[in-house]
Amino acid sequence: MQHSVCLPVPIQKWFFSRGWEPRPHQLKLLAQGRARRSSLLIAPTGAGKTFAGFLPTLDDLISIPERKRQGAGLHTLYISPLKALAVDIERNLKIPLREMQLPITVETRSGDTSPAKRQRQRIHPPDVLLTTPEQLALLLSNEDGSYIFTDLKNVIIDELHALTGSKRGDLLALGLARLRTIAVDLLTIGLSATVARPTELRAYLMQQRYPQQQTDIADLVYLQSEIKPDISILETEKSLPWSGHTSRYAIPDIYRALKQHRLTLIFVNTRSQAELIFQELWYANEAHLPIALHHGSLDSQKRRKVETAMAEGRLKAVVCTSTLDLGIDWGNIDLVINIGAPKGASRLIQRVGRANHRLDEPSKAILVPANRFEVLECRAAVDAVRAGMQDNILTHAGTLDVLAQHIMSTACAGPFATNDLYNEICSAQPYSYLTKKMFERVLNFVTTGGYALRAYERFARLKPTKNGLLRLAHPRLAKQHRLNIGTIVNSPMVKIRMTHSHKKKSSARDRSLSGGRVLGEMEEYFIGELKIGDAFIFAGQVLRFEGMRETDAYVSNAASDDPLIPSYRGGKFPLSSHLASRVRIILANGGLNNDLPTSVQEWLQLQHKKSILPGPNEVLVETFSRQRRSYIVAYPFEGRLTHQTLGMLLTRRLQRANAQPLGFVATDYALSIWCAKDIGAMLKTGRLDVEKLFNEDMLGDDLEAWLAESSLMKRTFRMCAVIAGLIECYHPGKTKTGRQMTASSDLMFDMLCKYDPNHILLEAAWNDAVTGLLDIGRLGDFLKRIKTQIRHINLNKVSPLSVPILLEIGQERVQLSQPDDLLRSIALELIAEAGLD
């Protein structure tokens, strides 16, 4: 297709007034829109890909201002993985529309949108609605869903690579399939950063036909930038920590860097890190620079204030989590600092792209490793980016719990024919594999609850009509279901609210708690561990816990030198397989020719002298005794989830061998198990065989026996049960507590395991365990890879490489001052034993 296509006159004049020329990929996407050909646009940051995605919409609305309407009149649906990104797009789209004097309306819709506005949008929607996958699912579950979307022409999915390959992506794919049934000749446009396998994303955008003879894929519009990002690893005069994840040692260097730039985004991997780094920077902020905090647990109004301040150039730095990862174009960001290892090359490229959001300028970033193993990972990530490697997972088989939720949502919108729904579901790329038998099993669960639950009326959610359709068993089920739509299963949250007054000496019972402004939300289990008077950090403030009233935690401002840092379940990124393999190569080379800090190179060289450095396809297993305990330390470099599962299974085997294991600890790089019996002696005398210990048959009976008693498997089931609607968190006017959810879920899990072991949700939970919390699939690949590749070294004392993993033992709650002092003395002792002093 030629690029002779011209922009609509208003847009042409607007470009001319700014001295701009449309780029070839923008014109190509406009031509694709006029030909009604769905497309995937892959372009680097700063290429104007979002505006390109909207060009077919603007072109259509300009050329046909008075459209014939059969429904509500919504023309374009824009889907974003982040609410913040949708807000940013609304702001950036309204500016040219206002300057071109185009009467095109644009609005956002999210959980933060007022109920009145959401209701009005269903009756009188804007021309362009910017929303999220969850809000689309909610709209489609309404009886007027067809009316809302009948006139829909275009769907734009931004940052598509961030959605596919996840349960949110499954939910969106099913929503797209539903939209294609409602709206004729629907055009889908995907916008994505560079990915390794674009064909997978191209298939996601298209309607598939079952049984699959050939995958239908969207057209590809591709723009490659020759400008390479400027990524460096922090150089500091301070000694690198042996373990931990706080990066406190680097605060002076980070502060110096942000002083030298206009606006710096400081990315961290968890909300706990965000709070800690913000507080540390605030203590170091002698120049009183405007530094802000942004993460998902903060109140939405607080986040919006930070976003507005960024856009207006009133901030010097923002400490943030993945809430600002994607597509954000706020202010003059000229530096990205990533605290800790990035865990994936694709994630690093995404974050680095926030700096210098222009096509012709390199993005600048500094990586700040928190410990010595993270130096290796940071080096591997920089090398991967320079080599143009990508490691994001783009597609997977659609999950059964999301399918169950979608079937129930469809019933909420009105009666349906099962064959029609099956064909529609199979047209969604993640579910193009779905057999009729599997569909009927999921449908049976939604209808009756399954074999073990069919006798209970509360699980009978669907009933047949006289003409052979399926409908809701009772209208009240629709409202209940809509309260629980979505795939992000958070731990139960508690609102953190400032109290107007408090009495320090009064008891909790006598204390009068009156409501003030809401700071945000925290996980219930952390609040449950606090005593009245405890100090902790949240929303960048030191707060004093005053007590609970109903579902709100009341706090006041406090002064404390040792406040707690909240911990959050989940949210830790897994180390990608690609980066893990690069780390193993660096380790095998002893860090030579990898531009590592001198202290890290000396550490690796001493390891080579005292023990060995394993080859890239080998796994090193060390055994040694220390302080009346025997240790076995393995270095798979397969990520924390894989190592935790491996540690559980190895512990069972060691228990069976009478080694008397006492505990284990796992990181992204290694795991250590300590025992009462001498493991080295048992391996040396043949009472224990290292090859048999790591044999892949542990994924058979050992795994099944462990899963039967594991709380992790119950947690996986709980998440599936919530998504599928078997257990509901939200009810009109109330929310179940974490204890109530856990009790209900564990009871259901035990009952199904006993009376209905083939239940569809047990199968869904197992499928999740393979790639999710337990990462069984990756563990299986590792055990196959290391057959005959295990290097066992029995040592007289601690090895240099084992020092970081041994320092992880016993680290649980994080406080601001104590761990560094405590760890320093332990570290000095271990360093001396390993000969590193």
Side-chain angles (χ1 to χ4, degrees):
M1 193 176 296
Q2 301 299 315
H3 295 165
S4 57
V5 63
C6 294
L7 291 172
V9 173
I11 301 178
Q12 215 171 38
K13 290 181 177 178
W14 183 70
F15 265 70
F16 181 77
S17 70
R18 292 178 165 238
W20 293 350
E21 287 286 337
R23 291 173 173 151
H25 64 280
Q26 293 175 325
L27 294 175
K28 177 68 180 293
L29 205 58
L30 176 59
Q32 292 286 104
R34 288 175 178 172
R36 304 302 295 169
R37 294 188 64 84
S38 294
S39 304
L40 170 66
L41 171 59
I42 292 181
T45 297
K49 66 173 175 281
T50 303
F51 189 76
F54 279 104
L55 275 176
T57 292
L58 300 180
D59 181 53
D60 201 20
L61 291 172
I62 289 170
S63 60
I64 313 174
E66 296 296 330
R67 295 174 290 122
K68 291 183 179 179
R69 301 186 179 187
Q70 295 179 320
L74 177 64
H75 183 280
T76 294
L77 191 65
Y78 166 92
I79 305 291
S80 160
L82 296 177
K83 291 184 286 188
L85 180 54
V87 171
D88 178 49
I89 296 301
E90 179 186 27
R91 178 169 45 240
N92 290 338
L93 191 56
K94 281 184 173 180
I95 292 172
L97 291 177
R98 187 167 55 249
E99 292 177 353
M100 288 184 279
Q101 298 182 336
L102 294 175
I104 296 172
T105 54
V106 180
E107 293 178 359
T108 59
R109 181 187 177 94
S110 69
D112 298 334
T113 307
S114 69
K117 186 175 181 180
R118 289 204 300 266
Q119 180 63 29
R120 192 265 300 157
Q121 286 173 339
R122 288 170 53 187
I123 303 169
H124 301 294
D127 297 312
V128 179
L129 185 63
L130 316 173
T131 191
T132 60
E134 291 76 21
Q135 286 296 316
L136 172 60
L138 192 57
L139 285 169
L140 286 169
S141 73
N142 285 289
E143 296 88 341
D144 57 1
S146 294
Y147 172 79
I148 297 169
F149 294 112
T150 293
D151 298 320
L152 189 67
K153 299 298 180 187
N154 298 347
V155 175
I156 304 167
I157 308 174
D158 207 350
E159 305 291 355
L160 178 60
H161 59 282
L163 285 168
T164 58
S166 69
K167 291 193 178 187
R168 293 187 79 200
D170 296 343
L171 187 68
L172 177 57
L174 292 168
L176 287 175
R178 193 88 191 109
L179 288 176
R180 292 190 189 100
T181 299
I182 296 170
V184 179
D185 190 30
L186 188 67
L187 178 76
T188 52
I189 297 172
L191 308 175
S192 175
T194 304
V195 292
R197 299 175 302 279
T199 300
E200 296 177 3
L201 297 186
R202 295 167 70 186
Y204 184 93
L205 294 170
M206 295 295 288
Q207 181 177 7
Q208 303 301 313
R209 291 165 179 79
Y210 183 85
Q212 272 187 290
Q213 302 298 325
Q214 182 176 353
T215 302
D216 293 326
I217 59 175
D219 293 342
L220 178 64
V221 180
Y222 188 80
L223 174 67
Q224 187 169 8
S225 173
E226 300 301 324
I227 306 295
K228 299 296 182 183
D230 175 10
I231 308 175
S232 61
I233 300 174
L234 179 71
E235 295 182 6
T236 180
E237 296 178 358
K238 292 195 173 184
S239 176
L240 280 161
W242 290 96
S243 67
H245 305 280
T246 65
S247 299
R248 279 197 196 93
Y249 78 95
I251 292 297
D253 299 286
I254 294 170
Y255 187 68
R256 195 176 304 115
L258 67 87
K259 285 175 69 176
Q260 296 168 355
H261 292 81
R262 293 190 303 270
L263 175 58
T264 301
L265 283 188
I266 303 171
F267 280 109
V268 296
N269 289 336
T270 67
R271 289 168 285 178
S272 298
Q273 282 180 308
E275 294 281 358
L276 187 147
I277 293 298
F278 177 80
Q279 200 69 25
E280 291 288 338
L281 281 174
W282 202 249
Y283 291 152
N285 192 9
E286 297 175 352
H288 303 290
L289 301 176
I291 303 172
L293 176 66
H294 193 289
H295 63 71
S297 289
L298 299 179
D299 182 63
S300 60
Q301 290 186 353
K302 190 174 182 66
R303 296 198 305 269
R304 296 296 173 262
K305 286 181 180 178
V306 172
E307 293 158 12
T308 300
M310 287 174 65
E312 295 174 355
R314 292 188 280 113
L315 294 177
K316 193 69 174 173
V318 179
V319 181
C320 57
T321 59
S322 56
T323 51
L324 295 182
D325 257 5
L326 303 172
I328 309 298
D329 187 14
W330 283 315
N332 296 313
I333 301 168
D334 55 346
L335 178 65
V336 163
I337 296 177
N338 196 90
I339 304 290
K343 304 304 170 191
S346 297
R347 180 175 295 109
L348 177 58
I349 292 170
Q350 187 75 54
R351 288 183 167 181
V352 172
R354 301 309 103 220
N356 285 341
H357 215 216
R358 302 170 186 85
L359 184 61
D360 55 352
E361 294 183 19
S363 299
K364 183 178 180 183
I366 300 174
L367 304 188
V368 182
N371 56 61
R372 300 194 177 204
F373 269 127
E374 284 198 354
V375 172
L376 305 184
E377 187 186 333
C378 286
R379 183 74 264 163
V382 172
D383 292 344
V385 171
R386 288 174 179 169
M389 299 303 297
Q390 300 281 336
D391 54 11
N392 46 359
I393 298 172
L394 300 178
T395 58
H396 71 164
T399 54
L400 301 177
D401 50 351
V402 176
L403 177 58
Q405 183 182 121
H406 178 72
I407 291 173
M408 187 63 183
S409 294
T410 304
C412 290
F416 63 87
T418 56
N419 283 336
D420 290 346
L421 182 58
Y422 171 66
N423 291 331
E424 178 184 291
I425 288 168
C426 289
S427 72
Q429 185 269 335
Y431 293 93
S432 56
Y433 76 94
L434 189 69
T435 63
K436 190 66 175 290
K437 183 177 180 180
M438 183 63 75
F439 168 76
E440 289 173 346
R441 287 182 64 200
V442 178
L443 181 63
N444 178 57
F445 158 70
V446 178
T447 303
T448 67
Y451 170 76
L453 303 174
R454 64 175 62 247
Y456 301 92
E457 186 178 351
R458 59 171 293 218
F459 298 110
R461 293 188 287 173
L462 303 183
K463 290 187 176 181
T465 65
K466 293 180 180 179
N467 54 357
L469 304 179
L470 280 179
R471 64 168 178 83
L472 287 180
H474 195 282
R476 70 171 180 274
L477 295 173
K479 183 177 182 180
Q480 180 67 38
H481 174 74
R482 292 181 189 119
L483 288 172
N484 292 276
I485 282 179
T487 63
I488 302 173
V489 181
N490 293 318
S491 297
M493 307 298 282
V494 172
K495 279 189 172 63
I496 307 300
R497 189 183 293 274
M498 293 294 291
T499 183
H500 291 314
S501 63
H502 67 275
K503 301 174 184 178
K504 291 185 179 179
K505 295 183 180 180
S506 64
S507 68
R509 183 173 297 178
D510 297 331
R511 192 178 310 276
S512 177
L513 300 173
S514 56
R517 61 191 173 92
V518 174
L519 299 179
E521 294 182 325
M522 290 180 61
E523 292 183 357
E524 179 189 61
Y525 86 95
F526 177 80
I527 296 295
E529 293 178 347
L530 296 178
K531 302 184 299 294
I532 290 176
D534 280 353
F536 65 97
I537 289 177
F538 182 69
Q541 305 173 59
V542 179
L543 304 171
R544 181 183 190 273
F545 179 57
E546 299 295 344
M548 290 286 298
R549 192 176 74 185
E550 297 177 349
T551 59
D552 291 358
Y554 286 80
V555 298
S556 61
N557 289 316
S560 172
D561 295 329
D562 199 20
L564 295 167
I565 300 292
S567 57
Y568 298 86
R569 289 174 177 164
K572 292 182 180 178
F573 297 120
L575 175 66
S576 74
S577 297
H578 179 77
L579 279 198
S581 65
R582 283 182 174 267
V583 170
R584 289 195 297 270
I585 292 171
I586 292 174
L587 188 69
N589 294 334
L592 300 176
N593 304 319
N594 283 105
D595 193 23
L596 297 178
T598 302
S599 60
V600 176
Q601 287 191 355
E602 292 174 349
W603 171 49
L604 297 182
Q605 289 166 9
L606 194 59
Q607 169 67 18
H608 181 67
K609 180 180 178 181
K610 303 260 183 184
S611 178
I612 65 164
L613 291 172
N617 294 315
E618 296 175 335
V619 62
L620 171 63
V621 177
E622 295 176 328
T623 51
F624 51 81
S625 294
R626 181 178 186 272
Q627 295 182 351
R628 293 181 295 178
R629 287 182 176 180
S630 180
Y631 290 82
I632 178 169
V633 183
Y635 306 89
F637 294 93
E638 290 291 347
R640 184 184 300 267
L641 296 179
T642 301
H643 295 168
Q644 285 177 336
T645 302
L646 177 60
M648 290 283 191
L649 296 176
L650 287 175
T651 299
R652 292 184 69 88
R653 291 197 156 188
L654 290 169
Q655 183 71 47
R656 200 160 54 240
N658 198 31
Q660 298 179 17
L662 303 172
F664 81 93
V665 67
T667 69
D668 272 321
Y669 315 105
L671 74 149
S672 174
I673 304 173
W674 52 98
C675 304
K677 293 288 184 70
D678 189 335
I679 300 296
M682 293 179 71
L683 289 167
K684 189 175 182 179
T685 59
R687 284 182 291 161
L688 201 61
D689 184 276
V690 71
E691 292 285 347
K692 290 182 179 178
L693 188 63
F694 284 85
N695 194 285
E696 62 183 310
D697 63 5
M698 71 168 64
L699 298 182
D701 292 342
D702 279 334
L703 179 61
E704 289 185 12
W706 172 55
L707 290 180
E709 60 192 45
S710 168
S711 62
L712 284 176
M713 192 61 193
K714 287 185 175 181
R715 184 180 169 194
T716 304
F717 173 80
R718 181 160 61 250
M719 290 189 288
C720 288
V722 170
I723 291 171
L726 181 64
I727 296 170
E728 293 164 326
C729 180
Y730 302 103
H731 297 261
K734 62 179 181 178
T735 302
K736 279 187 178 180
T737 66
R739 290 181 180 178
Q740 289 172 328
M741 293 287 291
T742 300
S744 298
S745 173
D746 289 355
L747 183 65
M748 191 69 70
F749 178 81
D750 292 339
M751 188 271 290
L752 291 178
C753 285
K754 184 175 182 180
Y755 296 109
D756 194 359
N758 295 319
H759 194 277
I760 193 69
L761 285 193
L762 292 178
E763 183 172 335
W766 171 261
N767 292 341
D768 274 8
V770 171
T771 56
L773 285 175
L774 309 182
D775 219 354
I776 295 167
R778 187 165 170 180
L779 175 57
D781 293 340
F782 161 72
L783 294 174
K784 288 177 183 177
R785 176 174 62 80
I786 63 166
K787 278 184 179 179
T788 72
Q789 297 290 323
I790 301 174
R791 299 287 303 276
H792 171 235
I793 304 294
N794 190 36
L795 301 168
N796 294 323
K797 57 184 178 181
V798 171
S799 74
L801 207 61
S802 69
V803 170
I805 184 70
L806 295 182
L807 284 170
E808 293 286 335
I809 296 172
Q811 290 191 56
E812 294 187 10
R813 282 186 119 182
V814 179
Q815 289 179 287
L816 278 177
S817 60
Q818 183 182 356
D820 282 348
D821 300 332
L822 181 64
L823 284 174
R824 192 172 293 114
S825 61
I826 300 172
L828 289 173
E829 185 180 334
L830 284 169
I831 288 165
E833 287 182 35
L836 290 163
D837 53 355

